[in-house]
Amino acid sequence: MPVSALDRPVWSSLTGRQGDLALVRGEALRMDPDFGLFAAVADETPDSLAALGELVGEHGPSGLVELASPPAVPGTAVMSSALCWQMVAEAVAPLKPIAFEIVPLGDAEAAEMLALATLTKPGPFFSRTHQLGDFVGVKVGGELAAMAGERMRPDGFTEVSGVCTHPGFRGQGYAAGLMAHVAGAILARGETPFLHSYADNAGANALYQALGFRRRADVWFTVLAPE
């Protein structure tokens, strides 16, 4: 497979379009903790790994997304490690007309978005994660029922993320409609949408494939905590 920005999405994002969010220590990078926990190193030399360990010690748990599990990082312990599918979409499969309104979300809904993500756990979500890209949602009776948005931005790509639905509003097609909307907007900008999904999440992976996403690579999501 040709080398791609998606082979190392965190490094590609934090050394590229999202460089303003990077905390830098030597050859190690970490996203500002208000936005996310993602981190990466330029290489696996002892100096780079030591620099990463210092960032973890100073800023707390940090997550790496790589094609292989990382070597031991000084001063850290592995909090979790999970195999994920990295998926991309060159087009979005057509959906039946949706029967709900999709609304833009922003700072005014920040507390609701964080509460929904905390409840449903779609992936790492923090106080300013919603500012990483465009987010949209569905409201029912004034309550945020579902949302989806954008996260990492390697050159030429944008990640679809934060997809979640409140348990009381599932089964209405909200997630599929919101994902198709977000992915379609990314494609309209001339970029390729991608996402990460736990390999054992069969239901979610089937949904993503039905929407037009294909499995590109297997990656490891490893969260390191201060030892």
Side-chain angles (χ1 to χ4, degrees):
M1 182 182 295
V3 174
S4 166
L6 292 186
D7 291 343
R8 306 199 64 213
V10 179
W11 180 262
S12 300
S13 299
L14 294 181
T15 59
R17 293 192 290 167
Q18 293 176 309
D20 59 324
L21 303 178
L23 305 178
V24 182
R25 176 64 56 85
E27 293 298 311
L29 304 171
R30 190 207 191 281
M31 187 176 283
D32 182 318
D34 287 343
F35 292 86
L37 53 64
F38 296 103
V41 288
D43 50 47
E44 295 183 349
T45 62
D47 285 349
S48 295
L49 295 174
L52 176 59
E54 291 174 8
L55 284 176
V56 174
E58 292 173 10
H59 301 285
S62 302
L64 297 92
V65 182
E66 302 285 352
L67 295 175
S69 297
V73 176
T76 75
V78 175
M79 178 182 294
S80 64
S81 181
L83 182 65
C84 296
W85 287 8
Q86 185 184 80
M87 308 179 77
V88 297
E90 280 79 27
V92 178
L95 296 177
K96 295 179 181 179
I98 61 174
F100 49 86
E101 180 184 7
I102 294 176
V103 299
L105 303 175
D107 288 343
E109 291 83 19
E112 288 182 274
M113 297 169 75
L114 181 58
L116 181 59
T118 301
L119 173 66
T120 59
K121 297 178 172 56
F125 201 97
F126 300 91
S127 61
R128 299 182 68 183
T129 299
H130 67 281
Q131 296 178 352
L132 291 174
D134 294 333
F135 271 78
V136 292
V138 177
K139 293 187 176 184
V140 178
E143 179 181 354
L144 184 61
M147 69 177 184
E150 303 171 349
R151 189 168 60 186
M152 287 189 275
R153 295 172 174 269
D155 287 344
F157 302 90
T158 294
E159 183 185 23
V160 179
S161 186
V163 182
C164 54
T165 303
H166 190 285
F169 297 104
R170 290 175 179 161
Q172 307 300 314
Y174 294 155
L178 291 170
M179 283 193 66
H181 180 94
V182 172
I186 294 168
L187 287 164
R189 298 199 301 260
E191 300 175 355
T192 300
F194 75 104
L195 58 82
H196 295 105
S197 177
Y198 291 115
D200 60 1
N201 193 343
N205 293 334
L207 168 63
Y208 304 152
Q209 290 173 319
L211 289 172
F213 284 85
R214 63 172 177 83
R215 181 178 175 183
R216 175 189 176 270
D218 290 349
V219 297
W220 286 94
F221 176 43
T222 306
V223 179
L224 304 176
E227 192 170 42

